[in-house]
Amino acid sequence: MKAFDNDAYQYLMDIPLYTWSTHAFYTNHRSSHITNNVCESFNAWIDNLRKMASYNVGPRIATEINKTIENAIYCKVKSAGEHRYEVYDSFIRFLVNLALHTCECKAWQISGLPCKHGVTAIIYIRKKVENYCDTYYNKDKYIIAYSRLHSPFLDLDTLDDTDVLLPTLRRFSGRPRKSRIRKKDEDAPSNARKISTVRCSNCKDLGHNRKGCQRAPEVSVSASQTSVIKQTQQHASAQAKAKSQQVKQIKRFRFI
């Protein structure tokens, strides 16, 4: 302190050492608890600064980092040497390179933010995750982007009226899709319609009704019933032949 600021050193040396220096405290108190108002004064002095974020990235990116850290608690890591680490996510192994900011899952390279495998390796070496984010997300880039004056847009009421044509309607084959494609780990919507299946009243299985049941009991037919069925079929075929001949005669008469 004397080499850094001699005035501050002289200020402290004018104060009795037993009031502020640990090595000069009285030894008969038998208590390690020390209370002073210096910390309270310091906290009151930086009250506005304490509410400010301490991240080097924006608040949205900081939220994403915290979520990734929560998802990384179930991963295990092993050092592979030269900034390389083997991260085990369940039964799958991923190779992470902290020097190149890469992971075999490719999520780090695509988004520029460390994936949960990379976060596991970063926490393993006790480093800050935000320091391994792409420079695109840093506050310096944000300040540079908005350092110049941006011209405001014109009011819509001041623009000239123009006729805007509708885009050409193009219909694709098949029924149009109403619901979007969801991720594998995304829950189904709360208003999703439940799929109903047919249950057989005979065998109580799903997928068919009583008429298509293969376990339906066989019905025995007597000889008299068999003869009646044959006579009915012959009568129906005879009527069909007579009707076809009548139609042919009508066509011939019209032709003549």
Side-chain angles (χ1 to χ4, degrees):
M1 182 183 293
K2 184 177 181 180
F4 182 76
D5 191 344
N6 188 40
D7 294 337
Y9 171 77
Q10 293 297 334
Y11 173 79
L12 290 177
M13 293 305 296
D14 293 339
I15 302 174
L17 294 178
Y18 66 88
T19 61
W20 62 271
S21 182
T22 305
H23 77 280
F25 286 163
Y26 295 115
T27 58
N28 56 354
H29 292 307
R30 300 296 188 273
S31 177
S32 59
H33 180 73
I34 301 172
T35 303
N36 54 44
N37 295 329
V38 176
C39 59
E40 296 179 3
S41 301
F42 180 76
N43 290 333
W45 179 50
I46 64 170
D47 183 49
N48 296 330
L49 299 177
R50 293 177 62 187
K51 299 178 182 179
M52 298 178 65
S54 59
Y55 292 98
N56 193 31
V57 295
R60 183 179 67 84
I61 304 302
T63 303
E64 293 292 334
I65 291 174
N66 292 332
K67 291 182 180 179
T68 308
I69 292 175
E70 293 179 359
N71 295 331
I73 59 176
Y74 300 103
C75 297
K76 297 181 181 180
V77 60
K78 291 183 180 180
S79 177
E82 296 182 358
H83 306 286
R84 293 182 300 177
Y85 298 87
E86 293 181 354
V87 180
Y88 294 86
D89 187 3
S90 296
F91 299 100
I92 305 176
R93 182 186 69 94
F94 296 92
L95 182 62
V96 176
N97 193 322
L98 296 183
L100 301 178
H101 294 190
T102 59
C103 178
E104 285 186 343
C105 71
K106 299 296 182 65
W108 194 348
Q109 295 90 305
I110 294 173
S111 64
L113 298 176
C115 59
K116 63 178 180 179
H117 314 118
V119 168
T120 305
I122 295 170
I123 296 176
Y124 178 76
I125 62 175
R126 300 182 182 273
K127 298 291 184 179
K128 291 184 177 180
V129 178
E130 61 184 77
N131 295 338
Y132 287 84
C133 298
D134 192 85
T135 56
Y136 171 80
Y137 300 103
N138 291 348
K139 290 182 179 179
D140 297 337
K141 296 293 183 180
Y142 182 86
I143 295 173
I144 293 173
Y146 292 94
S147 60
R148 298 180 181 179
L149 177 63
H150 292 267
S151 300
F153 291 101
L154 297 176
D155 191 2
L156 297 178
D157 297 334
T158 61
L159 299 177
D160 297 334
D161 296 335
T162 56
D163 296 333
V164 180
L165 300 178
L166 295 175
T168 304
L169 181 61
R170 182 183 178 186
R171 294 186 179 276
F172 297 93
S173 61
R175 182 178 296 180
R177 188 181 185 88
K178 295 183 179 180
S179 59
R180 62 181 177 86
I181 301 176
R182 298 180 178 274
K183 298 180 180 179
K184 294 181 179 180
D185 56 347
E186 189 175 1
D187 297 334
S190 58
N191 58 349
R193 184 178 62 180
K194 296 183 179 180
I195 301 175
S196 60
T197 56
V198 180
R199 183 180 294 275
C200 178
S201 59
N202 180 39
C203 63
K204 308 303 181 182
D205 289 341
L206 299 176
H208 64 276
N209 54 13
R210 185 181 182 86
K211 293 182 179 180
C213 183
Q214 298 180 357
R215 301 180 183 178
E218 297 181 356
V219 179
S220 59
V221 181
S222 61
S224 60
Q225 291 177 347
T226 303
S227 61
V228 172
I229 294 173
K230 288 183 179 180
Q231 291 177 2
T232 305
Q233 293 177 350
Q234 291 175 358
H235 180 69
S237 62
Q239 287 182 349
K241 289 181 180 180
K243 188 175 182 180
S244 63
Q245 291 178 359
Q246 185 179 3
V247 172
K248 289 180 181 179
Q249 291 178 359
I250 293 172
K251 288 182 179 180
R252 290 176 182 177
F253 179 77
R254 289 179 179 178
F255 179 75
I256 295 172

